[in-house]
DNA sequence: TCCCAGGGGCCGA
DNA sequence: TCGGCCCATGGG
């Protein structure tokens, strides 16, 4: 076993896919390049880590974290576009708008009735605590107390909107690292996060990039039905032998 | 037609 | 605690 297999996997993924630059912030998108359907050719501009996030960008990352729950990102983009068109990429507007209007805008992202309720609760929390200001990150436990915010969503908000060095664990993380036999598959969320933090040190920029690379790799190769033949991690992966 | 997608809440054993 | 079910749209 490698001395630090966690770092090794990151290096291999980064070398293969390049920087992902998450979080994709819709409101920072390019204003040019709409195609004939009115969609953006390059829908999202990825903010760079050196860039200071505005309160509205921070809000957008927070609601995007909720909207992407068990949902394809392309569908989240449609919902974000609806929100923007309706002037709802704004916490005050989300709080004030009738929930029926909000849920209709969210329809493309699925679970729209639940998500409308979640966004109203989250917007109220962020606004009342003055949490959209940089340097005033909410406590993880307070995020977790919100209806509709679980560990992955809370950590996603903390990492990508507030630069807090927490590691985001999702279904892809469990799938990839269980196949690599770095996890057994029975570990709990916080235990998995700790494994990554211990292996990497508390480095928020690294955590952002690593999680993004995990998503990229799981979508392209380490799918439910994996495409092992040209996988960059196959030398490290016992799962490859089974498939072959 | 079926499976899957960057989860989370709720309920009964 | 833990599985099973519910929420729901859109692409492959």
């Amino acid at each position: 076993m490698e001395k630090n297999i966690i770092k090794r996997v990151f290096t291999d993924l980064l070398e293969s896919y390049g920087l992902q630059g998450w979080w994709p912030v819709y409101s920072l998108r390019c204003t040019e390049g709409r195609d004939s359907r009115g969609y953006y050719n390059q829908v999202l501009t990825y903010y760079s880590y050196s860039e200071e996030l505005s309160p509205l960008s921070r809000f957008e990352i927070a609601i995007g974290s909720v909207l992407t729950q068990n949902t394809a990102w392309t569908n989240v983009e449609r919902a974000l576009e609806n929100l923007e068109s309706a002037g709802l990429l704004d916490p005050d507007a989300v709080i004030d708008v009738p929930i029926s209007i909000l849920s209709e805008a969210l329809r493309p992202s699925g679970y729209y009735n639940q998500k409308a309720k979640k966004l109203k609760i989250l917007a109220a929390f962020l606004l009342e605590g003055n949490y959209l200001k940089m340097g005033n990150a909410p406590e993880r436990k307070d995020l977790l107390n919100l209806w509709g915010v679980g560990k992955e969503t809370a950590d996603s908000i903390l990492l990508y909107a507030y630069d807090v060095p927490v590691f985001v664990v999702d279904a892809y993380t469990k799938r990839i690292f269980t196949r690599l036999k770095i996890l057994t598959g029975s570990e709990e969320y916080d235990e998995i996060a700790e494994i990554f933090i211990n292996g990497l040190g508390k480095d928020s920029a690294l955590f952002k990039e690593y999680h993004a690379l995990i998503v990229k790799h799981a979508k392209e190769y380490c799918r439910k039905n994996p495409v092992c033949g040209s996988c960059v991690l196959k030398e490290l992966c016992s799962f490859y032998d089974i498939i072959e």
Side-chain angles (χ1 to χ4, degrees), chain A residues 6-197:
Chain A
I6 299 288
K7 278 188 182 173
R8 166 70 191 277
V9 170
F10 174 74
T11 304
D12 287 358
L13 292 177
L14 180 61
E15 193 174 324
S16 174
Y17 301 113
L19 283 169
Q20 303 299 300
W22 275 28
W23 188 273
V25 180
Y26 182 79
S27 55
L28 294 178
R29 76 200 181 289
C30 300
T31 51
E32 53 193 32
R34 280 181 184 271
D35 66 18
S36 56
R37 301 167 304 163
Y39 287 108
Y40 294 99
N41 292 326
Q42 191 178 3
V43 177
L44 302 165
T45 296
Y46 294 76
Y47 79 87
S48 69
Y49 299 139
S50 59
E51 204 173 322
E52 172 85 358
L53 285 172
S54 70
L56 287 182
S57 294
R58 204 165 290 118
F59 177 67
E60 191 195 308
I61 293 171
I63 65 175
S65 300
V66 169
L67 294 181
T68 196
Q69 291 171 353
N70 205 35
T71 302
W73 184 255
T74 51
N75 289 350
V76 176
E77 286 175 4
R78 294 193 178 89
L80 290 173
E81 182 155 346
N82 288 345
L83 290 176
E84 194 199 42
S85 303
L88 294 172
L89 276 184
D90 177 289
D92 293 290
V94 166
I95 290 168
D96 292 339
V97 73
I99 197 157
S100 57
I101 303 290
L102 183 58
S103 62
E104 200 51 41
L106 299 179
R107 181 183 282 274
S109 74
Y111 310 112
Y112 50 89
N113 289 315
Q114 290 192 351
K115 284 176 177 174
K117 183 178 166 188
K118 291 177 183 181
L119 292 199
K120 278 186 166 287
I121 291 170
L122 181 60
F125 170 78
L126 293 173
L127 217 49
E128 286 164 14
N130 197 22
Y131 290 127
L132 292 171
K133 199 175 61 178
M134 189 57 176
N136 191 27
E139 294 289 327
R140 187 177 194 250
K141 64 174 170 57
D142 293 331
L143 282 169
L144 292 175
N145 276 333
L146 300 176
W147 186 86
V149 177
K151 288 179 177 177
E152 183 186 337
T153 305
D155 286 345
S156 200
I157 292 171
L158 289 171
L159 179 64
Y160 289 104
Y162 294 95
D163 203 34
V164 176
V166 289
F167 199 88
V168 178
V169 177
D170 63 356
Y172 290 156
T173 312
K174 293 173 189 167
R175 184 200 294 167
I176 293 173
F177 289 85
T178 300
R179 286 175 175 173
L180 288 169
K181 292 207 184 308
I182 295 168
L183 298 176
T184 65
S186 61
E187 293 90 349
E188 301 204 347
Y189 184 102
D190 293 315
E191 194 180 344
I192 296 172
E194 206 175 312
I195 291 171
F196 281 87
I197 293 167

